[in-house]
């Protein structure tokens, strides 16, 4: 026999009252401090997001480290090129004033200066040349598990070719088209080589003016160059030689200052 409607309704109301009371007890069980801390953290996070968006102005606030290094090298290279042009212009002005002064005095100093400038690499020269090209191994070789350090041209490889050409009687030399002089330093920075403050990527071209037979013989008998050729055969690095019947090497531009190490003072202690 079905229950009276009033009894069923009373049970529904009682169930709703119990549910509301249980909900009130659950809310009462949460302490106000954690709730306040949570709200505070969310507010700070939202504030930081807004500040970052305003400062970014549509750009990435976390650029990659490689991008930063590339930009730094590019900026420094532009500054070095600008300073080199300034040094060249100032040197030309000094040379012009010196020639004018000595011409009036009837001195043979201008001829002596020209001879010294030619010996120092400050004048352009022309003659037969031998060129050597060095380059990294193809990228496909690295996939075979070979150490990447064995697949690239190093500073020592370039220096080995340079030393061999000098020993073969080179009268003038360029690397990547830059004139090599007594203060030229070959520096390896990452995967590039820096010459006179300018970074260059491979392939590297080293050219020398002089007796071509002597230059080629010096390369063929150089032990360090021979070691590089072994890596060429084993890992696919590039080594090639070529002759130029007539090549013109530009004069060196830029600073002639020699940077060298300084001795430690007596008060300094070795580390």
């Amino acid at each position: 026999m079905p229950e009276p409607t009033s009894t069923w309704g009373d049970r529904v109301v009682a169930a709703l009252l119990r549910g509301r009371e249980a909900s009130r007890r659950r809310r009462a069980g949460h302490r106000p401090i954690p709730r306040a801390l949570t709200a505070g953290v969310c507010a700070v996070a939202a504030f930081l997001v807004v500040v970052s968006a305003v400062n970014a102005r549509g750009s990435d606030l976390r650029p990659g480290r490689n991008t930063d290094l590339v930009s730094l090298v590019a900026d420094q290279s532009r500054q070095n090129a600008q300073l080199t042009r300034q040094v060249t212009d100032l040197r030309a002005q000094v040379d012009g004033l010196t020639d004018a002064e000595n011409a009036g005095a009837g001195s043979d100093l201008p001829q002596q200066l020209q001879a010294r400038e030619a010996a120092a690499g400050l004048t352009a020269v022309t003659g037969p040349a031998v060129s050597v090209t060095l380059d990294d191994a193809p990228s496909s070789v690295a996939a075979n598990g070979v150490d990447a350090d064995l697949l690239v041209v190093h500073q020592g490889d370039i220096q080995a070719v340079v030393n061999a050409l000098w020993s073969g009687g080179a009268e003038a030399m360029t690397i990547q088209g830059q004139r090599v002089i007594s203060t030229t330093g070959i520096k390896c920075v990452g995967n590039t080589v820096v010459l006179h403050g300018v970074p260059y990527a491979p392939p590297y071209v080293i050219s020398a003016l002089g007796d071509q037979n002597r230059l080629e013989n010096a390369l063929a008998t150089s032990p360090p160059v021979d070691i590089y050729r072994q890596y060429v055969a084993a890992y696919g690095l590039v080594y090639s030689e070529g002759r130029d019947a007539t090549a013109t090497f530009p004069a060196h531009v830029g600073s002639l200052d020699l940077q060298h190490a300084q001795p430690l003072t007596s008060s300094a202690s070795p580390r």
Side-chain angles (χ1 to χ4, degrees):
M1 182 175 182
E3 295 180 342
T5 304
S6 59
T7 304
W8 180 83
D10 292 341
R11 289 184 178 182
V12 172
V13 171
L16 292 174
L17 292 175
R18 285 197 302 270
R20 192 169 73 172
E21 180 63 20
S23 177
R24 185 189 67 77
R25 287 197 299 269
R26 286 197 298 270
R27 288 197 302 271
H30 291 290
R31 297 180 179 178
I33 294 179
R35 291 204 302 272
L37 290 177
T38 301
V41 170
C42 292
V44 172
F47 175 75
L48 293 177
V49 170
V50 172
V51 171
S52 298
V54 172
N55 291 334
R57 296 180 180 177
S59 61
D60 186 4
L61 289 178
R62 299 182 300 168
R65 184 172 182 270
N66 291 336
T67 302
D68 291 342
L69 291 176
V70 171
S71 300
L72 179 62
V73 171
D75 291 341
Q76 190 63 49
S77 298
R78 285 191 291 269
Q79 294 179 16
N80 289 338
Q82 181 179 1
L83 292 175
T84 297
R85 288 192 295 269
Q86 293 178 5
V87 169
T88 303
D89 293 340
L90 292 173
R91 183 182 296 140
Q93 296 177 28
V94 171
D95 291 344
L97 294 173
T98 302
D99 292 343
E101 181 71 19
N102 293 323
S107 172
D108 62 348
L109 188 57
Q111 289 77 16
Q112 297 179 20
L113 289 175
Q114 290 177 2
R116 298 296 186 272
E117 288 177 350
L122 302 181
T123 58
V125 292
T126 301
V130 170
S131 296
V132 176
T133 300
L134 309 179
D135 200 358
D136 298 343
S139 57
S140 58
V141 178
N144 298 330
V146 181
D147 185 358
D149 196 49
L150 302 176
L151 306 177
V152 297
V153 179
H154 293 281
Q155 169 187 335
D157 302 324
I158 300 175
Q159 192 67 60
V161 173
V162 169
N163 291 342
L165 292 172
W166 284 132
S167 68
E171 301 171 7
M173 191 178 304
T174 62
I175 302 176
Q176 303 297 79
Q178 280 210 51
R179 187 73 175 271
V180 176
I181 60 174
S182 58
T183 58
T184 299
I186 304 171
K187 302 177 183 179
C188 184
V189 179
N191 60 344
T192 63
V193 167
V194 177
L195 298 170
H196 304 149
V198 180
Y200 294 96
Y204 303 110
V205 180
I206 306 103
S207 301
L209 258 64
D211 185 299
Q212 293 173 319
N213 291 328
R214 287 186 59 193
L215 294 173
E216 291 173 345
N217 182 67
L219 291 169
T221 57
S222 168
V225 174
D226 182 63
I227 292 175
Y228 178 83
R229 287 199 185 96
Q230 295 177 24
Y231 280 84
V232 171
Y235 301 113
L237 281 83
V238 175
Y239 177 93
S240 63
E241 293 182 18
R243 284 189 174 194
D244 293 315
T246 303
T248 299
F249 288 7
H252 169 73
V253 294
S255 175
L256 297 176
D257 293 340
L258 178 63
Q259 298 180 359
H260 54 86
Q262 297 290 340
L264 292 173
T265 61
S266 58
S267 60
S269 58
R271 299 179 67 179

